[in-house]
Amino acid sequence: DGVDWHFLSTAKRTETTIRLADHCPDRRDAQIWDAEDGRIYACPEGRLTLRPLGSAFVVYGSKEKAEPMPTCDFRLAQTVEGCWRIDFPTNWYSGGKAVRTVTTELVDWTALSDDELKFFSGTATYRKTIALGAPTPNRLVLDLGEVREFAEVTANGRHYPPLWRTPYRVDITDALEGGATRRLDLVIRVTNLWPNRLIGDERTCAADSVFAPNGRLKAIPLFVREGKPSPTGRRTFATWRHWAASDTLLPPGLIGPVRL
């Protein structure tokens, strides 16, 4: 019915500004339909700024009501420095302690000396209490910096939706009781991807399955069919050999810098 829409996305890890006239030169009534927050924004100047790795629907000829595109000016309030307590669940078939705790400044887990943590794949929990500076009349946003790959923030007991793409930011103003609370108790659950544990198994454990030269599993081994742990101590099992001991580990964890 005369409505024309385009889906635009960027693979750049920096903000990208697009002139919509380059894509649909005959239309002036552009709206931005944001699939993440479900809102419709007006785009009167015909320019769309996409977040890093961002995307948006651009719709022409729609009669839906649109609101102004929001703008934010960020000013650094403070940088969160010092050590964090990090709890790693480690009793995956190991018979060891349920949680291994380290206290360290922010580094990716592959920099840790303990192989149990260097090759860890899963969710680790970061904890830190921060003394806040002088109150501000503005909103307070927590910026986690670099995260690999997902983060769930709890601030002063208030939970926020998972963060899954850059920028890893969450508005935590409502966790500060109208600005009266000058302490921030942070709990951040960070989840990485699976390859590091697969690579770790290749480096530290003997083979427990037989794969064809192209990487395909030749047969389901007996311990899997019986629902038992691997006899070689491996934590993982896959029907394809995607990763080898010589592969480079992916950088996991909360890498930061963390700022307010």
Side-chain angles (χ1 to χ4, degrees):
D1 296 329
V3 175
D4 183 24
W5 62 269
H6 300 247
F7 179 71
L8 303 182
S9 66
T10 177
K12 295 181 180 180
R13 292 186 176 271
T14 57
E15 284 192 348
T16 303
T17 299
I18 299 170
R19 292 180 65 252
L20 299 181
D22 294 340
H23 298 269
C24 196
D26 297 330
R27 305 300 294 265
R28 304 293 180 189
D29 54 345
Q31 293 180 344
I32 308 303
W33 291 29
D34 192 319
E36 186 173 357
D37 64 18
R39 299 167 79 172
I40 298 174
Y41 300 107
C43 190
E45 297 181 0
R47 290 182 179 269
L48 168 62
T49 299
L50 293 175
R51 294 177 291 242
L53 304 177
S55 62
F57 290 96
V58 181
V59 181
Y60 299 93
S62 170
K63 303 302 182 183
E64 296 289 339
K65 183 178 180 181
E67 57 186 287
M69 184 73 73
T71 59
C72 293
D73 293 321
F74 291 100
R75 178 173 52 86
L76 179 64
Q78 68 186 87
T79 300
V80 178
E81 299 176 333
C83 291
W84 293 68
R85 170 184 163 181
I86 315 173
D87 294 329
F88 292 86
T90 58
N91 62 342
W92 241 29
Y93 296 148
S94 67
K97 293 182 179 180
V99 174
R100 190 164 300 177
T101 300
V102 297
T103 302
T104 179
E105 295 184 349
L106 295 179
V107 295
D108 82 62
W109 303 338
T110 64
L112 301 175
S113 58
D114 187 339
D115 281 353
E116 183 77 19
L117 308 182
K118 179 182 295 186
F119 301 132
F120 177 80
S121 289
T123 301
T125 303
Y126 290 72
R127 290 181 169 86
K128 189 174 182 65
T129 297
I130 302 165
L132 298 177
T136 170
N138 302 311
R139 308 293 297 180
L140 190 64
V141 173
L142 175 69
D143 187 323
L144 300 182
E146 184 178 357
V147 176
R148 299 294 182 91
E149 302 291 333
F150 312 98
E152 297 174 79
V153 172
T154 301
N156 289 351
R158 185 181 291 269
H159 303 283
Y160 294 90
L163 302 172
W164 54 274
R165 52 114 179 106
T166 56
Y168 290 86
R169 290 175 180 159
V170 58
D171 187 326
I172 58 170
T173 309
D174 56 357
L176 301 178
E177 299 178 358
T181 301
R182 306 317 304 157
R183 191 178 88 165
L184 183 61
D185 292 320
L186 283 179
V187 179
I188 305 173
R189 288 166 45 85
V190 176
T191 304
N192 69 328
L193 302 178
W194 201 26
N196 284 4
R197 185 64 260 173
L198 289 162
I199 296 170
D201 281 358
E202 291 289 332
R203 291 186 186 181
T204 60
C205 301
D208 60 10
S209 305
V210 179
F211 293 89
N214 66 353
R216 179 180 56 83
L217 182 71
K218 287 189 174 181
I220 301 293
L222 180 62
F223 75 90
V224 173
R225 287 186 275 125
E226 293 180 345
K228 295 179 179 180
S230 168
T232 68
R234 289 180 176 239
R235 312 291 182 85
T236 57
F237 171 78
T239 56
W240 203 277
R241 193 179 183 218
H242 293 281
W243 304 91
S246 59
D247 286 326
T248 302
L249 297 173
L250 303 182
L254 173 58
I255 301 171
V258 176
R259 300 174 297 175
L260 295 168

